[in-house]
Amino acid sequence: MYVQTASAPDRKPVTVPGLRAMKAAGQRIVMLTAYDASFAWQLDNAGVDVALVGDSLGMVVQGHASTLPVTLEHMVYHTAAVARGLRSTLLVADLPFMSDRDVPHALEAGARLVGEAGAAMVKIEGAAPHVLDAIEALAARAIPVCGHLGLTPQSVHKFGGFRIQGREQEAAERVLAEARAVAAAGADLLVLEGMPVALAERITQAVAIPTVGIGAGPHCDGQVLVLHDLLGVTPGKRPKFSKDFLQGRDSVAAAITAFAEAVRGGQFPGPEHSFL
Ligand code: KIV
């Protein structure tokens, strides 16, 4: 057992308005997933801006084939654990599958993740009418929202697998319109996953809120990876858009720091991690 006595770098807490200021200043946002207090502490200590308790925990922690079995109880449990490991990194938690099915459920989930577990923001997938209603309702109650568009993993069965979205012109226009709608509904941040570089660039220019990409090319306002992909411990084949930052380094801390530096310096993602 280790006691967390080492002090994190002296850093002002990252805030929701601070993320917008980073976009305005052209400062790239560094985001990583975390699911427990120890890794959260590693993120915070490395100066990662945003920690995401993603429902990807269903795959990389629980061993499921998708994120769909993750429940609100699981999310509250892991979010509370991550919150205990953070000092200045902003904490975002996913609304799990169907917890956004209507406004009352979305509000209940948001209240638990923020009020009980300690998140500063909740993430919600898609731009269906009930999702836009939920974003508006959460934002009206001062619960900041991160949207999530493109390859939204909770729609895996609709997509017929984890497939890149927005490749055809019509689909690209649809995703762009969704991004505008999510921003207009009151979201403060927007994850863009699994889409062509050019589409993510158009969205990033079209919306005032910051975008954070994963498999969406280098032109987003920030980048996010699943921690297990970054550490090369995800079972099976590494997704094209990710990179094992532990390879050639001797610690988790060095791998996370290298990711943060590569994002801030514009070296990650490269063309080999992106889709045209
Ligand atoms: O659940 C998750 O980890 C995510 C990221 C891939 C953005 O949504």
Side-chain angles (χ1 to χ4, degrees):
M1 237 2 181
Y2 298 99
V3 182
Q4 296 178 0
T5 49
S7 60
D10 227 1
R11 205 163 55 114
K12 280 209 281 194
V14 178
T15 64
V16 174
L19 296 176
R20 256 183 216 249
M22 288 176 75
K23 176 172 179 132
Q27 249 177 284
R28 289 194 182 88
I29 296 165
V30 178
M31 182 164 166
L32 265 180
T33 67
Y35 313 101
D36 66 31
S38 296
F39 281 104
W41 187 85
Q42 294 282 340
L43 264 60
D44 193 287
N45 212 40
V48 169
D49 300 307
V50 183
L52 168 67
V53 184
D55 58 0
S56 52
L57 71 84
M59 301 175 79
V60 297
V61 176
Q62 298 174 335
H64 294 294
S66 77
T67 61
L68 304 181
V70 177
T71 66
L72 182 57
E73 290 311 318
H74 299 152
M75 290 306 304
V76 169
Y77 175 89
H78 286 278
T79 302
V82 169
R84 288 179 212 117
L86 298 180
R87 276 158 281 194
S88 49
T89 297
L90 186 89
L91 178 53
V92 180
D94 265 342
L95 291 191
F97 181 57
M98 290 303 279
S99 66
D100 61 357
R101 60 187 170 275
D102 53 30
V103 166
H105 281 92
L107 289 177
E108 170 67 16
R112 289 200 64 195
L113 290 166
V114 172
E116 182 182 330
M121 180 184 270
V122 296
K123 181 162 78 56
I124 184 165
E125 293 187 11
H130 72 282
V131 172
L132 297 177
D133 288 347
I135 295 173
E136 247 178 63
L138 288 159
R141 286 153 182 92
I143 295 183
V145 180
C146 175
H148 184 162
L149 296 174
L151 196 181
T152 43
Q154 290 174 15
S155 301
V156 59
H157 294 312
K158 269 288 223 200
F159 295 156
F162 295 102
R163 296 180 193 287
I164 301 306
Q165 300 296 304
R167 275 204 154 122
E168 302 76 23
Q169 184 66 25
E170 200 183 311
E173 296 308 323
R174 190 170 55 244
V175 181
L176 178 60
E178 287 174 351
R180 289 199 166 105
V182 164
D188 283 293
L189 188 64
L190 179 56
V191 166
L192 301 177
E193 177 167 358
M195 65 176 65
V197 172
L199 174 57
E201 185 175 17
R202 280 179 75 197
I203 293 172
T204 300
Q205 288 168 357
V207 297
I209 59 174
T211 64
V212 181
I214 174 165
H219 305 298
C220 299
D221 298 307
Q223 298 292 330
V224 54
L225 279 184
V226 169
L227 182 64
H228 290 53
D229 290 345
L230 172 142
L231 297 176
V233 297
T234 308
K237 199 167 159 266
R238 181 179 63 74
K240 170 185 160 87
F241 56 78
S242 75
K243 178 174 169 178
D244 177 355
F245 279 88
L246 190 51
Q247 209 167 56
R249 298 186 178 86
D250 60 4
S251 69
V252 167
I256 295 172
T257 300
F259 169 69
E261 286 174 359
V263 170
R264 291 190 178 119
Q267 290 97 23
F268 180 83
E272 70 275 27
H273 309 115
S274 305
F275 302 95
L276 296 178

